[in-house]
Amino acid sequence: MVNPQPVVNPQPVVEAARIAAEADGALVTRAQAGDRIAFGVLVDRYAPSVRRVARAVLNDPDDADDAAQDAFLAAMVKLKQFDPGRPFGPWLARIAVNAATDRRRRRAVRRAEPLENHMRSGGTLPDADADRRALGGRLRQALAELPERRRMAVVLFDVEGYTHAEIGEILGLPEGTVRSEVFHARRALRVLLADWRDQE
């Protein structure tokens, strides 16, 4: 006797695909009314950005992923308070900054020491991939040397594409201060990465 195949309801998948093209404001309105699919679309849309913002605060990818989850949970709880007429991205980025800052404060687990070079797995990477990884590592190191506020400002501006005014709202700073922080961060990064440019 052949077991019948379970019936799968394609409705949630079709609904998610249909509303994925909607603007943030419409998705927020749906999510505020209890539409979980709409909130899921917002999460998918903003997850990379929230992770990058959290990483700018924490400098640790695992902690940043945890902080991003904290941020989305906090956003879900606070969503009823959000005005759908305002931009969603800066509001969510502010929550991400707060979640990452809270996680850093609560960090109590000792960091594991990195593996010694001779204990790492062998093998070579293609040159382009190795160069990209090396540059990414150097950039993360250089960003880590910046003061936190300056690091967050330059990541929000150059990586996430927020305006100075939006960053001011996210970080609770005057727009002029944000401009100054971005300027000084870029100048410091040029100095910190000067030897990398000389190798090219």
Side-chain angles (χ1 to χ4, degrees), residues 132-148:
R132 183 180 52 78
R133 287 179 193 234
L135 177 58
R138 282 298 309 283
L139 184 55
R140 282 190 294 279
Q141 286 175 339
L143 282 167
E145 292 186 37
L146 298 178
E148 179 183 330

Side-chain angles (χ1 to χ4, degrees), residues 99-180:
T101 302
D102 288 346
R103 182 162 286 277
R104 189 186 61 218
R105 274 191 216 117
R106 290 182 279 129
R107 196 185 287 168
V109 179
R110 287 179 55 118
R111 292 278 168 241
E113 291 296 318
L115 291 175
E116 297 291 329
N117 284 336
H118 69 277
M119 296 174 69
R120 294 184 180 161
S121 62
T124 58
L125 296 170
D127 287 345
D129 194 33
D131 286 348
R132 183 180 52 78
R133 287 179 193 234
L135 177 58
R138 282 298 309 283
L139 184 55
R140 282 190 294 279
Q141 286 175 339
L143 282 167
E145 292 186 37
L146 298 178
E148 179 183 330
R149 188 169 82 177
R150 200 160 281 175
R151 180 173 64 243
M152 286 190 293
V154 77
V155 168
L156 288 167
F157 187 76
D158 285 327
V159 179
E160 298 306 320
Y162 288 111
T163 66
H164 292 110
E166 289 171 331
I167 296 168
E169 187 177 319
I170 292 166
L171 299 180
L173 299 171
E175 185 176 343
T177 303
V178 172
R179 288 181 185 280
S180 175

Side-chain angles (χ1 to χ4, degrees), residues 50-118:
V50 167
R51 279 193 203 98
R52 286 189 296 266
V53 168
R55 189 163 185 174
V57 175
L58 293 165
N59 282 323
D60 180 284
D62 294 330
D63 280 352
D65 285 346
D66 291 342
Q69 290 178 7
D70 294 346
F72 282 116
L73 183 59
M76 189 170 66
V77 169
K78 296 176 182 179
L79 196 60
K80 293 274 188 199
Q81 303 166 14
F82 178 70
D83 174 6
R86 298 193 62 171
F88 182 73
W91 179 79
L92 183 59
R94 178 69 186 167
I95 291 174
V97 167
N98 290 340
T101 302
D102 288 346
R103 182 162 286 277
R104 189 186 61 218
R105 274 191 216 117
R106 290 182 279 129
R107 196 185 287 168
V109 179
R110 287 179 55 118
R111 292 278 168 241
E113 291 296 318
L115 291 175
E116 297 291 329
N117 284 336
H118 69 277

Side-chain angles (χ1 to χ4, degrees), residues 23-46:
D24 289 352
L27 290 170
V28 169
T29 300
R30 284 173 165 269
Q32 287 174 327
D35 187 335
R36 291 183 179 177
I37 294 173
F39 188 75
V41 170
L42 286 167
V43 169
D44 289 344
R45 189 174 288 177
Y46 283 95

